[in-house]
Short mmCIF file of all heavy atoms in Angstrom, two decimals:
data_model
loop_
_atom_site.label_atom_id
_atom_site.label_comp_id
_atom_site.label_asym_id
_atom_site.label_seq_id
_atom_site.Cartn_x
_atom_site.Cartn_y
_atom_site.Cartn_z
N VAL A 1 28.21 15.37 -32.98
CA VAL A 1 28.02 16.34 -31.89
C VAL A 1 26.55 16.70 -31.76
O VAL A 1 26.01 16.77 -30.66
CB VAL A 1 28.89 17.60 -32.14
CG1 VAL A 1 28.49 18.73 -31.20
CG2 VAL A 1 30.37 17.26 -31.98
N THR A 2 25.90 16.91 -32.89
CA THR A 2 24.47 17.26 -32.87
C THR A 2 23.65 16.12 -32.27
O THR A 2 22.77 16.35 -31.43
CB THR A 2 23.98 17.58 -34.29
OG1 THR A 2 24.73 18.68 -34.80
CG2 THR A 2 22.51 17.92 -34.31
N ALA A 3 23.95 14.88 -32.67
CA ALA A 3 23.23 13.72 -32.14
C ALA A 3 23.47 13.58 -30.64
O ALA A 3 22.54 13.31 -29.87
CB ALA A 3 23.65 12.46 -32.88
N ALA A 4 24.71 13.78 -30.21
CA ALA A 4 25.03 13.67 -28.78
C ALA A 4 24.30 14.76 -28.00
O ALA A 4 23.78 14.51 -26.90
CB ALA A 4 26.53 13.78 -28.56
N GLY A 5 24.24 15.96 -28.56
CA GLY A 5 23.52 17.05 -27.90
C GLY A 5 22.05 16.75 -27.77
O GLY A 5 21.43 17.00 -26.74
N SER A 6 21.47 16.18 -28.82
CA SER A 6 20.05 15.82 -28.77
C SER A 6 19.79 14.74 -27.73
O SER A 6 18.81 14.81 -26.98
CB SER A 6 19.59 15.32 -30.15
OG SER A 6 19.64 16.36 -31.09
N SER A 7 20.68 13.76 -27.67
CA SER A 7 20.52 12.70 -26.68
C SER A 7 20.64 13.24 -25.27
O SER A 7 19.87 12.88 -24.38
CB SER A 7 21.57 11.61 -26.90
OG SER A 7 21.36 10.97 -28.14
N ALA A 8 21.61 14.12 -25.07
CA ALA A 8 21.78 14.71 -23.75
C ALA A 8 20.55 15.53 -23.36
O ALA A 8 20.10 15.47 -22.21
CB ALA A 8 23.03 15.59 -23.72
N GLN A 9 19.98 16.25 -24.30
CA GLN A 9 18.79 17.05 -24.01
C GLN A 9 17.61 16.15 -23.66
O GLN A 9 16.82 16.46 -22.77
CB GLN A 9 18.43 17.94 -25.20
CG GLN A 9 17.29 18.89 -24.92
CD GLN A 9 17.58 19.85 -23.78
OE1 GLN A 9 18.62 20.48 -23.76
NE2 GLN A 9 16.67 19.95 -22.83
N GLN A 10 17.50 15.01 -24.35
CA GLN A 10 16.42 14.07 -24.03
C GLN A 10 16.56 13.54 -22.61
O GLN A 10 15.58 13.41 -21.88
CB GLN A 10 16.40 12.92 -25.03
CG GLN A 10 15.90 13.31 -26.40
CD GLN A 10 16.00 12.17 -27.41
OE1 GLN A 10 16.66 11.16 -27.17
NE2 GLN A 10 15.35 12.34 -28.55
N VAL A 11 17.79 13.24 -22.21
CA VAL A 11 18.03 12.75 -20.85
C VAL A 11 17.64 13.82 -19.83
O VAL A 11 16.98 13.54 -18.84
CB VAL A 11 19.51 12.33 -20.68
CG1 VAL A 11 19.84 12.08 -19.21
CG2 VAL A 11 19.81 11.08 -21.50
N VAL A 12 18.03 15.05 -20.10
CA VAL A 12 17.69 16.15 -19.19
C VAL A 12 16.17 16.32 -19.12
O VAL A 12 15.61 16.48 -18.03
CB VAL A 12 18.37 17.46 -19.65
CG1 VAL A 12 17.81 18.66 -18.90
CG2 VAL A 12 19.88 17.37 -19.46
N ASP A 13 15.52 16.28 -20.28
CA ASP A 13 14.06 16.43 -20.30
C ASP A 13 13.37 15.32 -19.52
O ASP A 13 12.43 15.57 -18.76
CB ASP A 13 13.55 16.44 -21.75
CG ASP A 13 13.96 17.70 -22.51
OD1 ASP A 13 14.40 18.68 -21.87
OD2 ASP A 13 13.84 17.69 -23.76
N GLN A 14 13.85 14.08 -19.69
CA GLN A 14 13.24 12.95 -18.98
C GLN A 14 13.48 13.06 -17.48
O GLN A 14 12.58 12.78 -16.69
CB GLN A 14 13.79 11.63 -19.52
CG GLN A 14 13.29 11.32 -20.92
CD GLN A 14 13.97 10.12 -21.55
OE1 GLN A 14 14.95 9.60 -21.02
NE2 GLN A 14 13.46 9.66 -22.68
N ALA A 15 14.68 13.49 -17.10
CA ALA A 15 14.96 13.65 -15.67
C ALA A 15 14.10 14.76 -15.08
O ALA A 15 13.59 14.63 -13.96
CB ALA A 15 16.45 13.95 -15.47
N THR A 16 13.93 15.83 -15.83
CA THR A 16 13.10 16.94 -15.36
C THR A 16 11.66 16.48 -15.19
O THR A 16 11.00 16.79 -14.19
CB THR A 16 13.18 18.12 -16.35
OG1 THR A 16 14.54 18.54 -16.45
CG2 THR A 16 12.32 19.28 -15.92
N GLU A 17 11.16 15.74 -16.16
CA GLU A 17 9.78 15.25 -16.09
C GLU A 17 9.61 14.30 -14.91
O GLU A 17 8.62 14.38 -14.18
CB GLU A 17 9.43 14.54 -17.40
CG GLU A 17 8.00 14.06 -17.46
CD GLU A 17 7.64 13.40 -18.79
OE1 GLU A 17 8.29 13.71 -19.81
OE2 GLU A 17 6.72 12.58 -18.80
N ALA A 18 10.58 13.41 -14.71
CA ALA A 18 10.49 12.47 -13.59
C ALA A 18 10.53 13.23 -12.26
O ALA A 18 9.78 12.90 -11.33
CB ALA A 18 11.64 11.46 -13.66
N GLY A 19 11.38 14.23 -12.17
CA GLY A 19 11.45 15.04 -10.96
C GLY A 19 10.15 15.77 -10.69
O GLY A 19 9.69 15.86 -9.55
N GLN A 20 9.55 16.29 -11.74
CA GLN A 20 8.28 17.00 -11.59
C GLN A 20 7.18 16.06 -11.13
O GLN A 20 6.37 16.40 -10.26
CB GLN A 20 7.88 17.68 -12.90
CG GLN A 20 6.63 18.53 -12.79
CD GLN A 20 6.78 19.67 -11.79
OE1 GLN A 20 7.73 20.41 -11.85
NE2 GLN A 20 5.83 19.80 -10.88
N LYS A 21 7.16 14.84 -11.70
CA LYS A 21 6.16 13.86 -11.28
C LYS A 21 6.34 13.50 -9.80
O LYS A 21 5.36 13.38 -9.06
CB LYS A 21 6.24 12.61 -12.14
CG LYS A 21 5.67 12.79 -13.52
CD LYS A 21 5.76 11.50 -14.34
CE LYS A 21 5.20 11.70 -15.73
NZ LYS A 21 5.32 10.49 -16.55
N ALA A 22 7.58 13.34 -9.40
CA ALA A 22 7.85 13.01 -7.99
C ALA A 22 7.39 14.14 -7.08
O ALA A 22 6.77 13.90 -6.04
CB ALA A 22 9.34 12.73 -7.79
N MET A 23 7.68 15.37 -7.47
CA MET A 23 7.25 16.52 -6.66
C MET A 23 5.73 16.62 -6.62
O MET A 23 5.15 16.93 -5.57
CB MET A 23 7.85 17.82 -7.21
CG MET A 23 9.34 17.93 -7.00
SD MET A 23 9.84 17.81 -5.28
CE MET A 23 9.07 19.27 -4.61
N ASP A 24 5.06 16.33 -7.72
CA ASP A 24 3.60 16.34 -7.75
C ASP A 24 3.04 15.30 -6.79
O ASP A 24 2.06 15.55 -6.08
CB ASP A 24 3.08 16.08 -9.16
CG ASP A 24 3.33 17.24 -10.11
OD1 ASP A 24 3.67 18.35 -9.64
OD2 ASP A 24 3.20 17.02 -11.34
N GLN A 25 3.67 14.11 -6.75
CA GLN A 25 3.20 13.05 -5.85
C GLN A 25 3.41 13.45 -4.39
O GLN A 25 2.55 13.20 -3.55
CB GLN A 25 3.93 11.74 -6.16
CG GLN A 25 3.49 11.12 -7.48
CD GLN A 25 4.30 9.89 -7.84
OE1 GLN A 25 5.35 9.63 -7.27
NE2 GLN A 25 3.82 9.13 -8.82
N VAL A 26 4.55 14.08 -4.10
CA VAL A 26 4.81 14.53 -2.73
C VAL A 26 3.78 15.59 -2.32
O VAL A 26 3.23 15.55 -1.21
CB VAL A 26 6.25 15.08 -2.60
CG1 VAL A 26 6.44 15.83 -1.29
CG2 VAL A 26 7.26 13.96 -2.71
#
């Protein structure tokens, strides 16, 4: 459960970072 939670958090963090980069480019 802990490993799955960490993986899910990494996915969220990466998606957030990608979204922020896209917004910066716009």
